[in-house]
Amino acid sequence: MAQSKGTVVLAYSGGLDTSCILVWLKEQGYDVVAYLANIGQKEDFEAARKKALALGAKKVYIEDVSREFVEQFIWPAVQANALYEDRYLLGTALARPCIARRLVEIAQHEGAQHVAHGATGKGNDQVRFELSCYALCPEIKVVAPWRMPEFYQRFPGRRELMDYAKKHGIPVPVTPQTPWSMDENLMHISYEAGILENPKNQAPPGLYTKTCDPANSPDAPDVLEIKFERGVPVKVTNTGDGATRSTALELFVYLNDIAGKHGVGRIDIVENRFVGMKSRGIYETPAGTILYHAHLDIEAFTMDREVRKIKQGLSLKFSELVYNGFWHSPECEFLRECIGRSQEPVVGTVRLSVFKGQVYILGRESPRSLYNEELVSMNVQGDYEPADATGFININSLRLKEYHRLQSKVTVKQDE
């Protein structure tokens, strides 16, 4: 038996990889405390607890962080209209700092000097986990087996992991593994690797689990009214059956159900990982997609144009920081404060339709609206003098006239 190296808190999923890592860490001399975050994934948590204890974990923490995930991580992303590279709603990137925060708290409570995770050495999650851990506890030491030669040379492929599992009594799934990897939380599920690594391959029909095929979705829409305060959804009402939800977690789960039923929230993209390579990912983000469209609409209705231009730039940087793992950085904290301040006037209700894979905005109202119906009307002059537009156009055309006058001179000289 290896010499004792102290206690390590392992971010445990209950799957084959982290189960093998748990046993391997014990072989290396660590006392292992397993931590499984309930962040909204479909999981038999009691079975996972028993499995970890049977494999030698000295203690198992199963922590329900779903509510704080919604209120402290998803809501700031909704306020920001956060999108990475114009398409990705950041479901995994938002979950990692939430999981890592509790991982560090457990390590401190247990007096452990080490934490460990099962993220691969090629992906973003290793960065997200570890930057969060180091930010929250600078003296912590991270054990990352998939970056350690003694681990990845011993387990170059899944077959070697399976053999190790059988040798050490680690339960091996009896059902065939899907030919891709999945990661699920309350906000989304991601699919990558395996047959999906060829970006030309279409996602097989049986891949999606959170949303139905839009072609087979109901032939009647669900019409929802979503109320916002300070850019955060506080109530959803289904105008069809009168159902309402007003607590953060219940509201989000309900929107997941409605969007999933109508096939809303699927994307298939190639993105740029922070570590420098492109990767292909397929994502389902049902509730997040509805809220993105709804918030975008109420924000445009209530926010000053120039403030919104600045806020859009902040949102772009915020999305990049979150994707790259810098949630717990001073710059990301600063951006969250700025974006939160911009949301004070973002109050009101958006009415929308969810139907056949799409979200359609139907209307909006707000006590903080900057929309002046009389001013914009084609039928009423209101407090606006059309003749003033002549000077406005003349001033704005001056730059264009001068630019093209100079270009004409340059062209003539070049032709001489």
Side-chain angles (χ1 to χ4, degrees):
M1 195 70 171
Q3 183 179 357
S4 176
K5 295 181 180 178
T7 300
V8 60
V9 181
L10 170 65
Y12 182 68
S13 71
L16 178 66
D17 288 35
T18 52
S19 293
C20 289
I21 287 172
L22 192 162
V23 174
W24 183 83
L25 287 169
K26 285 181 60 62
E27 285 184 342
Q28 308 310 303
Y30 292 101
D31 292 324
V32 181
V33 173
Y35 156 55
L36 175 55
N38 175 357
I39 199 161
Q41 73 274 34
K42 292 181 178 65
E43 180 72 60
D44 186 338
F45 293 101
E46 193 52 41
R49 180 197 300 277
K50 291 177 180 177
K51 182 178 180 180
L53 290 171
L55 295 177
K58 73 172 187 177
K59 190 183 290 187
V60 179
Y61 286 82
I62 297 179
E63 303 285 313
D64 188 343
V65 296
S66 299
R67 181 177 173 183
E68 63 192 76
F69 180 43
V70 175
E71 294 178 344
Q72 299 174 30
F73 295 85
I74 296 177
W75 280 177
V78 169
Q79 289 178 309
N81 299 322
L83 272 186
Y84 179 69
E85 294 187 340
D86 304 314
R87 293 185 287 179
Y88 174 44
L89 285 163
L90 297 166
T92 299
L94 289 165
R96 295 317 187 212
C98 179
I99 295 170
R101 184 172 68 181
R102 188 69 183 119
L103 180 70
V104 167
E105 289 171 355
I106 291 170
Q108 292 171 328
H109 178 75
E110 289 290 329
Q113 294 183 321
H114 303 84
V115 294
H117 61 78
T120 73
K122 284 188 174 182
N124 295 308
D125 283 342
Q126 57 179 339
V127 182
R128 295 165 180 161
F129 273 124
E130 294 182 38
L131 290 184
S132 291
C133 290
Y134 290 135
L136 296 170
C137 185
E139 64 274 14
I140 201 75
K141 295 178 176 62
V142 178
V143 181
W146 284 115
R147 293 205 310 270
M148 301 168 69
E150 61 267 35
F151 186 86
Y152 66 72
Q153 289 175 2
R154 183 176 178 182
F155 306 110
R158 196 160 190 84
R159 183 175 58 80
E160 288 79 11
L161 268 183
M162 297 281 276
D163 291 343
Y164 181 82
K166 291 173 183 175
K167 179 181 176 183
H168 290 84
I170 300 170
V172 174
V174 292
T175 55
Q177 290 287 311
T178 54
W180 53 77
S181 68
M182 299 183 289
D183 183 76
E184 183 186 14
N185 61 52
L186 183 66
M187 186 176 183
H188 91 161
I189 187 166
S190 64
Y191 310 91
E192 60 182 10
I195 65 171
L196 302 179
E197 288 180 349
N198 184 340
K200 186 174 69 174
N201 289 341
Q202 183 176 346
L207 177 137
Y208 296 99
T209 60
K210 276 188 178 287
T211 61
C212 76
D213 186 338
N216 300 324
S217 63
D219 292 326
D222 275 289
V223 176
L224 307 176
E225 291 181 349
I226 302 177
K227 182 181 179 182
F228 287 87
E229 291 179 5
R230 294 180 62 94
V232 170
V234 295
K235 185 179 181 181
V236 60
T237 302
N238 190 317
T239 64
D241 60 14
T244 64
R245 301 290 188 276
S246 53
T247 67
L249 185 56
E250 287 181 351
L251 185 154
F252 200 83
V253 169
Y254 180 74
L255 290 179
N256 264 340
D257 292 341
I258 294 295
K261 180 174 76 173
H262 290 280
V264 165
R266 297 181 175 189
I267 61 169
D268 182 333
I269 64 173
V270 172
E271 68 200 63
N272 288 294
R273 286 182 181 169
F274 188 33
V275 294
M277 64 188 78
K278 290 186 184 290
S279 67
R280 192 264 190 98
I282 297 174
Y283 303 102
E284 294 176 276
T285 316
T289 300
I290 290 179
L291 290 174
Y292 175 80
H293 289 288
H295 180 268
L296 199 63
D297 189 80
I298 197 67
E299 183 179 88
F301 193 48
T302 56
M303 187 178 287
D304 174 77
R305 180 185 71 180
E306 297 304 314
V307 172
R308 189 157 184 267
K309 285 181 183 177
I310 294 170
K311 188 260 182 179
Q312 285 176 304
L314 297 179
S315 296
L316 193 66
K317 185 62 179 177
F318 171 79
S319 302
E320 178 187 299
L321 288 173
V322 173
Y323 184 86
N324 291 344
F326 288 92
W327 179 275
H328 293 291
S329 67
E331 63 270 30
C332 195
E333 182 179 341
F334 171 72
L335 285 178
R336 292 197 297 276
E337 288 289 328
C338 292
I339 291 168
R341 171 67 177 80
S342 78
Q343 297 297 291
E344 288 183 7
V346 184
V347 175
T349 300
V350 177
R351 195 165 188 261
L352 54 83
S353 170
V354 188
F355 186 56
K356 298 290 184 185
Q358 298 295 322
V359 177
Y360 300 97
I361 303 296
L362 303 178
R364 76 289 291 159
E365 60 180 348
S366 170
R368 301 291 297 271
S369 166
L370 294 178
Y371 181 88
N372 185 329
E373 189 173 349
E374 181 181 278
L375 182 63
V376 78
S377 174
M378 295 296 184
N379 299 316
V380 181
Q381 183 170 320
D383 189 21
Y384 180 81
E385 182 55 61
D388 292 345
T390 303
F392 177 78
I393 294 167
N394 285 339
I395 292 297
N396 277 281
S397 68
L398 179 63
R399 175 178 61 89
L400 305 180
K401 290 175 181 177
E402 287 302 293
Y403 174 80
H404 288 286
R405 181 182 61 80
L406 178 61
Q407 289 298 105
S408 298
K409 285 183 178 181
V410 171
T411 303
V412 169
K413 286 183 178 180
Q414 289 175 342
D415 291 342
E416 288 177 354

